[in-house]
Amino acid sequence: MFQNLMNLDTAFRHVKYLSFTVVLGSFCFAGYLGVKAIQATQAAQERVYILAEGKALEAFSATKKDNIPVEARDHVKMFHHYFFTLSPDEKFITEQLAKSLYLSDGSAKKVYDNLKERGYFTEIVSANINQTIAMDSVSISIDSYPYEFLYYGKQQIIRPTSVVTRGLITKGKLRHIDRTDQNPHGFLIEHWETLSNKNLNVESR
């Protein structure tokens, strides 16, 4: 009789330990599945599908901080493109400069006003001058805010009798503003100034 009771007690303890182990394992497995489900949900939320010409293209969302260097460089590039790419057409010049001024503050407007007062844009039209710019590089420092930048490019001025190539170096700062149709990157150039704009080459036509 006593031996039977001992066997029952041992069996009960074994069943208790086994049950405890099964329950603990179930909780661990449920927790693992919960973590994986959350990770899968977050990964799915980061996926964005764009329909273009009947094709679904996958894109990935990212915070603006992740894209600051890329967007900042493109913002600076496009500002200089609009400001320095000019043709002998008053309407075209006005449109280009208006686009550039949406991307900058009063420092660029001051340069524009000075050039206009000197008759620079009038000369472009009257002398049939084409002006283009090609970016070499842009360095952005995101260690401090507003972000400082240095722009390096080559400006080409095509006259009826010559082609002048100039090396252009400018600097300024970038601060965040709301994104708009005219300013899709959400940056504004401040304290913009030209450090160097000297002739590199002059060719006769």
Side-chain angles (χ1 to χ4, degrees), residues 1 4 11 16-17 20 40 62 64 83 99 102 117 125 139 149 152 155 167 169 178 180 182 184 189 192 202:
M1 180 70 178
N4 289 337
K16 183 173 67 174
Y17 293 147
F20 178 77
K64 184 169 183 177
F83 198 92
K99 291 176 183 178
Y102 275 117
E117 187 176 342
V125 176
S139 64
F149 72 84
Y152 301 86
Q155 184 182 7
I169 304 174
D178 292 332
T180 65
Q182 291 78 23
I189 292 176
W192 180 61
V202 180

Side-chain angles (χ1 to χ4, degrees), residues 61-144:
S61 64
T63 62
K64 184 169 183 177
K65 186 176 180 180
D66 295 334
N67 288 328
I68 282 176
V70 175
E71 293 200 55
R73 280 193 294 269
D74 194 59
H75 184 90
V76 174
K77 174 185 175 182
M78 294 312 300
F79 165 76
H80 287 82
H81 169 76
Y82 291 135
F83 198 92
F84 291 100
T85 302
L86 305 174
S87 292
D89 182 301
E90 290 183 3
K91 183 178 179 182
F92 181 78
I93 291 174
T94 300
E95 291 175 351
Q96 288 287 95
L97 293 171
K99 291 176 183 178
S100 72
L101 295 179
Y102 275 117
L103 309 181
S104 57
D105 71 349
S107 58
K109 179 65 163 58
K110 184 177 180 180
V111 175
Y112 163 73
D113 290 339
N114 290 338
L115 291 172
K116 186 176 181 181
E117 187 176 342
R118 285 162 40 194
Y120 184 80
F121 304 114
T122 302
E123 182 184 359
I124 288 177
V125 176
S126 61
N128 291 318
I129 298 172
N130 282 86
Q131 181 175 291
T132 62
I133 191 159
M135 185 185 79
D136 290 332
S137 65
V138 176
S139 64
I140 307 288
S141 174
I142 61 172
D143 295 331
S144 60

Side-chain angles (χ1 to χ4, degrees), residues 164-181:
V164 179
T165 303
R166 291 180 176 173
L168 178 68
I169 304 174
T170 69
K171 73 172 185 177
K173 295 184 178 181
L174 291 167
R175 69 175 172 91
H176 293 296
I177 61 170
D178 292 332
R179 297 175 189 262
T180 65
D181 290 339

